[in-house]
Amino acid sequence: MRISSGVPGFDALVDGGLLKDRLYIVSGPPGSGKTTFCSQFVTNGAVDGETTLFLTLHETEAELVSDMGSYEFGFDQAVKSGHVKVLNVFDSEAQRLLSSSSRSSGEFPTNVDNLANQLVAFVESRGVDRLVIDSTMLLEYYFSDDLGALVKFLSTLKRADATVMLISEMTDPTSYTDGHYLAHGVIFMHNYLDSGSMTRGIQIIKMRGTEIDCDIRKVEFTDRGLRVLPDEKVQA
Ligand SMILES: Nc1ncnc2c1ncn2[C@@H]1O[C@H](COP(=O)(O)OP(=O)(O)OP(=O)(O)O)[C@@H](O)[C@H]1O
Ligand SMILES: [Mg+2]
């Protein structure tokens, strides 16, 4: 079954939509639109009555609502309605919610397996349909001594009964990590200087089970958030 990304023009690049309950990585440089893309993704589910979780390392709920509330795609209403739950991992609320959904521990996870298992338990107990994790810096921060952290995290989350978007900050589209191999799909957001002005684009690096358009397609920020122009190619 395919679901809409919530980003106008994007679904046309992936055969009409994203395969449900798969794990996708969204990569790209600073300010390229990763957080906006994923905010539209959770809002789209919320509008259909789905339960969604936006787990963030970077921003508080108030900051995210304020930033995304400057667009008209309805993020703030989705948060108010409770269909989009925003949790900052450093908040005591996140630590309490995550640990209480785990059978094994009452503490914030001390290793990556615990964190991933607690997230999957949370997804199952709450019936979360769409999950965003912003971003993999979270893993580097908490589990810097575990070189296999990303692989463990991804392998567990892939089993979750939810469609997962994991934001990863990679800036060089050719320096792939293990995560890019493990994920079902990889979406790359481009943002580069071209003749003195910023050009934005989006590219599907891979999408298992889906006939894809691999070219870089133009992206615009509008009052309604990100929009993909599926017929307009961008040269890298
Ligand atoms: N109407 C707008 N409202 C808010 N931001 C906008 C708007 N139009 C363009 N932008 C730009 O969008 C960019 C933010 O996009 P977003 O936060 O989704 O990027 P990101 O890839 O998540 O960045 P980071 O890696 O820093 O987290 C900002 O640089 C901002 O200037
Ligand atoms: Mg961001």
Side-chain angles (χ1 to χ4, degrees):
M1 183 187 156
R2 289 185 189 274
I3 58 172
S4 174
S5 62
V7 177
F10 178 85
D11 296 348
L13 306 183
V14 290
D15 213 9
L18 296 161
L19 285 171
K20 195 173 172 292
D21 295 345
R22 302 257 177 140
L23 183 142
Y24 303 99
I25 289 190
V26 181
S27 285
S32 56
K34 303 180 294 294
T35 299
T36 311
F37 185 96
C38 290
S39 301
Q40 288 176 245
F41 170 70
V42 287
T43 305
N44 184 265
V47 165
D48 285 343
E50 290 182 11
T51 302
T52 69
L53 172 63
F54 195 113
L55 190 73
T56 173
L57 174 85
H58 298 279
E59 299 179 281
T60 63
E61 175 176 343
E63 281 167 349
L64 190 67
V65 168
S66 161
D67 291 352
M68 294 304 139
S70 69
Y71 299 108
E72 292 161 11
F73 61 81
F75 187 76
D76 35 359
Q77 292 96 307
V79 172
K80 265 193 215 119
S81 76
H83 287 295
V84 171
K85 175 87 191 147
V86 178
L87 282 181
N88 182 299
V89 274
F90 297 111
D91 280 357
S92 51
E93 192 198 1
Q95 307 196 357
R96 191 170 42 78
L97 280 175
L98 286 177
S99 58
S100 67
S101 61
S102 159
R103 282 164 292 268
S104 54
S105 106
E107 300 282 308
F108 195 70
T110 48
N111 67 52
V112 74
D113 290 308
N114 285 346
L115 175 64
N117 286 329
Q118 289 186 5
L119 265 173
V120 171
F122 185 86
V123 161
E124 279 164 14
S125 67
R126 300 286 177 118
V128 171
D129 301 293
R130 300 188 186 203
L131 168 66
V132 169
I133 298 162
D134 190 359
S135 68
T136 53
M137 234 185 246
L138 176 156
L139 301 175
E140 283 154 33
Y141 177 86
Y142 273 115
F143 313 113
S144 50
D145 52 343
D146 184 351
L147 292 176
L150 183 66
V151 169
K152 290 179 192 166
F153 189 71
L154 267 164
S155 306
T156 301
L157 276 180
K158 271 174 85 175
R159 294 200 295 270
D161 209 6
T163 311
V164 183
M165 289 255 172
L166 184 63
I167 297 180
S168 154
E169 271 87 6
M170 180 187 79
T171 51
D172 174 0
T174 58
S175 69
Y176 298 123
T177 65
D178 292 340
H180 293 100
Y181 291 96
L182 279 170
H184 293 113
V186 177
I187 299 160
F188 196 87
M189 315 275 315
H190 294 265
N191 185 25
Y192 47 86
L193 265 177
D194 181 26
S195 327
S197 67
M198 264 330 211
T199 297
R200 297 181 186 276
I202 195 164
Q203 182 179 27
I204 317 297
I205 308 289
K206 76 169 194 186
M207 195 68 56
R208 290 191 193 140
T210 302
E211 193 180 324
I212 52 169
D213 173 350
C214 290
D215 290 328
I216 306 176
R217 299 292 166 171
K218 197 170 172 193
V219 164
E220 278 178 359
F221 278 91
T222 72
D223 291 348
R224 297 179 159 267
L226 282 176
R227 185 166 80 101
V228 177
L229 301 155
D231 299 322
E232 285 196 44
K233 258 194 214 186
V234 174
Q235 301 301 327

